């Protein structure tokens, strides 16, 4: 570079501005996973759904516990 201004701006990521927040993105992820959950219920029975719900509940519980332990803001809602 010669040091003269060429009109380009350097900025940190993300470079695409989007009004979506984490809650909206995670909702879309859950909607996208519904067909896989339905297929697993069909192929393996409703035990697969029960296992999925159990694992999701455990993840929420341990995230809540770690937030309490570390003194951080609760983020399990997103």
């Amino acid at each position: 570079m010669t040091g003269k201004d060429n009109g380009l701006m350097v900025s940190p990521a993300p470079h695409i501005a989007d009004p979506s927040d984490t809650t909206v993105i995670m909702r879309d992820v859950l909607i996208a996973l519904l067909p896989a959950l339905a297929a697993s219920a069909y192929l393996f029975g409703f035990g697969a759904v029960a296992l999925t719900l159990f694992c999701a509940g455990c993840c929420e519980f341990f995230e809540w516990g770690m937030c309490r332990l570390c003194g951080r803001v609760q983020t399990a809602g997103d």
Side-chain angles (χ1 to χ4, degrees), residues 8-61:
L8 297 177
M9 182 178 70
V10 177
S11 64
H15 301 292
I16 299 173
D18 189 9
S20 298
D21 59 352
T22 306
T23 305
V24 172
I25 294 168
M26 288 297 107
R27 185 193 65 220
D28 292 343
V29 168
L30 290 175
I31 291 170
L33 289 173
L34 283 176
L37 183 62
S40 67
Y42 177 75
L43 294 172
F44 303 111
F46 286 102
V49 176
L51 181 63
T52 301
L53 292 175
F54 176 75
C55 290
C58 287
C59 289
E60 289 290 329
F61 174 74

Side-chain angles (χ1 to χ4, degrees), residues 50-73:
L51 181 63
T52 301
L53 292 175
F54 176 75
C55 290
C58 287
C59 289
E60 289 290 329
F61 174 74
F62 283 109
E63 181 178 358
W64 171 82
M66 285 305 297
C67 286
R68 294 276 301 201
L69 185 66
C70 296
R72 295 189 177 192
V73 177

